[in-house]
């Protein structure tokens, strides 16, 4: 156990060696002295901790082996059928979730452990523990979810709220209620059977209920713990907009008559031994479509269950739109998908799994977007999961197509719609890429078309059902699929001759990009505006020198420094003519002017704009930048910037989002924990943005000259956003590379814009920005319209910020 510090040390020192219970009671008091969790630590006794250093004021230091043990207080054990454990801790890496172990008297086992689930509210996690009267002790393993200093806001046990549990249950359909009850009863029975020997042995011991209570708890908890998190706000959102009234259906029939083209869809469904009821539900969801022009092409891949074959035949007899083929031998999903596609006669192929389902307006909405985007070849929609508890959960609200995001995970996925001629042109699905066959297909298709022909439908048109063995439960369910995904990406890199390689990121199901050495590496000039501030400038320069590159020049633009030590340091750098250029400007502060002045003196083929209050973290940043800027349509590369405390300062910029008046731009994931994976790991993986900060960005000198550098009418704010928008006007892409990481102390030299003069200037430049670009110019293509515009933290909005095409815009909400 690590030593305690400060008041905590004194508290422990006062404890004399003695019985373990006395020591644990002392530790309980130590935790209670931490002001942030005083009053929110309750319901537990006999607390003991391992691998945790308490440093006071609600702060602790944790490592990968940190654990907390406790018992449930007797009054809760005797008065509740179920209790809820809740912990609130920041920062936390949600990709490495915390785990709770429950000891029913036989000790701790993996079978008696469960992942803590996220709750409403930032950084809160919990679990319901049934039958607390039979629980001997509970252990919480942090498992590396938090490593280093953390803030502990709450750590307690309370009675489960039966009203909330009942409300959630009653929200389900009658069929889903039956599914949940049947599933839980089956899980309990299966758990009892698997532990029968233990249970029989327990009868003659002092812990007669250990095995039985453990089995019952395991059965009750299994589906809840493995289900995707279901947010009540999202359930309300999807319920309101996916519910179709008779007025909606009439509107859709009328609107479809005006479509310039009425595409015919062939739904491609490979089938292998699914639960028959789920297969029937999938087909019924197609038969419920409001758009009539479709067919279902089924290929059964030699399912061993004859009930599956019989069901397919029966469904086809009932509905002539269902076509099928029975394969004689199992060829896995690529071959069976190709067999299904061979039956297709439609204009577009729609990929659908045999145990998922579509909302009734899915194909109508796809037809609407095809009509709105003539010549489109690929379409994809937002998606969610239908979890093991029977709730809509975990929506993936996506942005416009981003091939760079595809190098981290499959953005396209569901609902994937492919022009049939293009599908045939690329040769359909490739054998050997099973598990990521659609990923590989999308990468090959996108190489042959203009990205403008790829359309994002910003609505949830696909419900991905969580079932055992499915990647809807977790990427780790199918490791072979992830290996196939990396092969698909690397195959794409080879075809495109990109100096890149797909590698593991350390997060299940998420890939990272390794850059390769480019021939004839380009020279780089780093332009650093500064005024005095030796305390930040010198560490910045020293960090750059630690990654010294003979092809890198540093241009320092001194904005009228008058500090003697700073001037002496600049004179010292000026004498190193091979690496440094020092330019002096004696004008009022204008960041755009200083950058333009520095670039005029720069000789590099690549320009880097860098704030003087930054420090390099990654040592291969120049290697990475050269690789990215060797790709023709990459126009700018941004960095991942962390505050000194490890929280995110910048990982891209979202436009038109935030609480400003007008709303111009905010930093994505601002002040989120640096280790945290949020929004499908988009806080940590390569992707495009509409803009990045000029605190650290790279672009080709030729592109800088082409657009004329920075607009000096933006003296302080939004000059980088304006620069990025002009880069994008040239058809170039702006990416943010998590492999380029810097520490950013943010505005230390200039200070914050908080005094009245600076506030007025900021508002004036925001108004200038709006006048120059307009609301449409500041629409962010990568921030979903289903998120609230008030926050960059991916909060579900009250309603979409764009049209809901299947709803009559003149009708009252219903």
């Amino acid at each position: 156990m690590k030593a305690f510090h400060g008041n905590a040390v004194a508290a422990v020192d006062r404890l004399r060696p003695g019985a373990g219970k006395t020591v644990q009671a002392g530790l309980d008091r130590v935790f209670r002295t931490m002001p942030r969790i005083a009053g929110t630590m309750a319901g537990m006794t006999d607390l003991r901790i391992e691998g945790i250093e308490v440093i006071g004021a609600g702060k602790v230091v944790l490592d990968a082996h940190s654990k907390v043990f406790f018992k449930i207080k007797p009054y809760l054990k005797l008065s509740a059928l179920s209790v809820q454990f809740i912990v609130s801790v920041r920062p936390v890496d949600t990709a490495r979730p915390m785990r709770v172990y429950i000891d029913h008297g036989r000790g701790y086992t993996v079978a008696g452990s469960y992942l803590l689930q996220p709750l409403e509210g930032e950084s809160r996690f919990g679990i319901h523990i049934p039958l607390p009267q039979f629980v001997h002790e509970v252990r919480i393993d942090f498992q590396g979810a938090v490593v280093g200093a953390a803030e502990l806001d709450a750590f307690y046990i309370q009675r489960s709220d039966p009203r909330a549990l009942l409300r959630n249950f009653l929200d389900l359909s009658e069929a889903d209620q039956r599914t949940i009850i049947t599933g839980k009863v089956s899980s309990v029975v299966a758990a009892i059977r698997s532990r029968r020997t233990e249970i029989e042995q327990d009868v003659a011991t002092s812990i007669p209920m250990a095995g039985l209570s453990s089995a019952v708890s395991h059965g009750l908890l299994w589906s809840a713990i493995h289900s995707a998190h279901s947010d009540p706000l999202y359930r309300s959102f999807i319920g309101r907009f996916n519910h179709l009234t008779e007025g909606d259906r009439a509107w859709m029939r009328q609107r479809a008559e005006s479509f310039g083209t009425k595409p015919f869809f062939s739904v491609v469904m490979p089938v292998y031994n699914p639960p028959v009821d789920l297969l029937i539900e999938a087909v019924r969801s197609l038969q419920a479509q409001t758009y009539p022009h479709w067919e279902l092409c089924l290929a059964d891949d030699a399912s061993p269950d004859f009930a599956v074959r019989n069901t397919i035949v029966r469904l086809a007899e009932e509905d002539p739109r269902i076509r099928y083929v029975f394969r004689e031998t199992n060829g896995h999903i690529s071959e069976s998908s190709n067999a299904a596609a061979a039956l297709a006669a439609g204009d577009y192929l729609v990929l659908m799994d045999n145990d998922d389902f579509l909302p009734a307006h899915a194909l109508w909405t796809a037809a609407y977007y095809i009509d709105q985007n003539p010549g489109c070849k690929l379409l994809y929609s937002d998606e969610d999961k239908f979890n093991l508890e029977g709730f809509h959960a975990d929506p993936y609200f996506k942005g416009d197509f981003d091939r760079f995001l595809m190098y981290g995970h499959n953005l396209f996925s569901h609902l994937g719609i492919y022009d049939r001629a293009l599908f045939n042109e690329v040769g359909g699905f490739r054998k050997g890429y099973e598990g990521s066959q659609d990923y590989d297909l999308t990468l090959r298709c996108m190489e042959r078309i203009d990205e403008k022909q790829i359309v994002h439908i910003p609505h949830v048109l696909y419900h991905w059902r969580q079932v055992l063995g499915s990647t809807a439960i977790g990427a780790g369910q199918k490791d072979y699929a992830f290996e196939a995904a990396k092969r698909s990406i690397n195959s794409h890199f080879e075809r495109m001759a990109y100096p890149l390689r797909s590698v593991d990121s350390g997060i299940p199901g998420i890939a990272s990009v390794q850059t390769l050495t480019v021939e004839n590496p380009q020279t780089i000039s780093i332009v650093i505006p500064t005024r005095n501030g030796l305390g930040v400038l010198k560490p910045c320069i020293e960090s750059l020198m630690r990654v010294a590159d003979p092809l890198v020049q540093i241009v320092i633009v001194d904005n009228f420094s008058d500090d003697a030590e700073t001037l002496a340091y600049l004179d010292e750098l000026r004498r190193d003519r091979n690496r440094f250029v020092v330019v002096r400007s004696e004008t009022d502060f204008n960041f755009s002017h200083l950058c333009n002045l520095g670039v005029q003196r720069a000789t590099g083929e690549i320009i880097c704009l860098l704030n003087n209050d930054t420090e390099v973290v990654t040592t291969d940043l120049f290697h990475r930048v050269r690789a990215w800027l060797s790709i023709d349509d990459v126009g700018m590369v941004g960095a991942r910037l962390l505050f000194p405390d490890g929280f995110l300062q910048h990982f891209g910029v979202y436009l038109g989002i935030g609480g400003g008046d007008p709303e111009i731009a905010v930093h994505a994931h601002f002040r989120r924990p640096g280790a945290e994976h949020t929004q499908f790991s988009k806080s940590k993986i390569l992707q495009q943005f509409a803009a990045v900060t000029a605190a650290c960005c790279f672009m080709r000198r030729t592109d800088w000259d082409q657009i004329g550098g920075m607009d000096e009418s933006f003296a302080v704010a939004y000059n980088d956003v304006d620069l990025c928008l002009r880069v994008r006007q040239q058809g170039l892409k702006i990416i943010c590379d998590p492999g380029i990481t810097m520490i950013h102390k943010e505005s230390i030299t200039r200070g914050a814009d908080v005094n009245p003069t600076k506030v007025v200037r900021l508002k004036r430049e925001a108004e200038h920005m709006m006048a120059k670009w307009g609301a449409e110019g500041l629409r962010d293509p990568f921030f979903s319209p289903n998120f609230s515009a008030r926050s960059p933290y991916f909060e579900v909005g009250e309603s979409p910020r764009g049209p809901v095409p299947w709803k009559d815009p003149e009708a009252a909400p219903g």
Side-chain angles (χ1 to χ4, degrees), residues 402-409 439 443 446 489 492-493 496 498 500 502 511-513 628 686:
D402 177 2
R403 79 172 191 269
F404 295 92
L405 185 57
M406 287 281 287
Y407 302 157
H409 65 235
Y439 207 156
L443 291 168
M446 78 181 193
I489 298 167
H492 164 73
F493 289 160
M496 300 301 292
Y498 290 163
L500 309 172
S502 182
S512 187
V513 179
W628 291 123
L686 175 75

Side-chain angles (χ1 to χ4, degrees), residues 460-471:
V460 174
L461 301 186
Y462 195 96
H463 304 307
W464 193 12
R465 190 189 295 276
Q466 283 191 300
V467 294
L468 284 173
S470 167
T471 49

Side-chain angles (χ1 to χ4, degrees), residues 743-763:
I743 298 297
H744 186 201
K745 298 150 194 177
E746 194 180 24
S747 304
I748 286 179
T749 306
R750 184 173 57 84
D753 289 331
V754 293
N755 70 44
T757 300
K758 292 182 178 180
V759 169
V760 169
R761 182 187 61 206
L762 180 64
K763 182 174 176 59

Side-chain angles (χ1 to χ4, degrees), residues 284-306:
R284 297 298 185 221
S285 78
L286 280 172
Q287 293 171 323
Q289 292 298 304
T290 58
Y291 186 76
H293 308 302
W294 61 268
E295 65 178 357
L296 172 59
C297 301
L298 284 160
D300 178 77
D301 200 26
S303 295
D305 185 352
F306 279 97

Side-chain angles (χ1 to χ4, degrees), residues 497-499 518 522 625-634 700:
Y498 290 163
V518 298
Q522 292 188 306
V625 164
R626 290 183 177 111
W628 291 123
L629 290 178
S630 72
I631 299 173
D632 290 343
D633 65 344
V634 175
R700 287 180 287 264

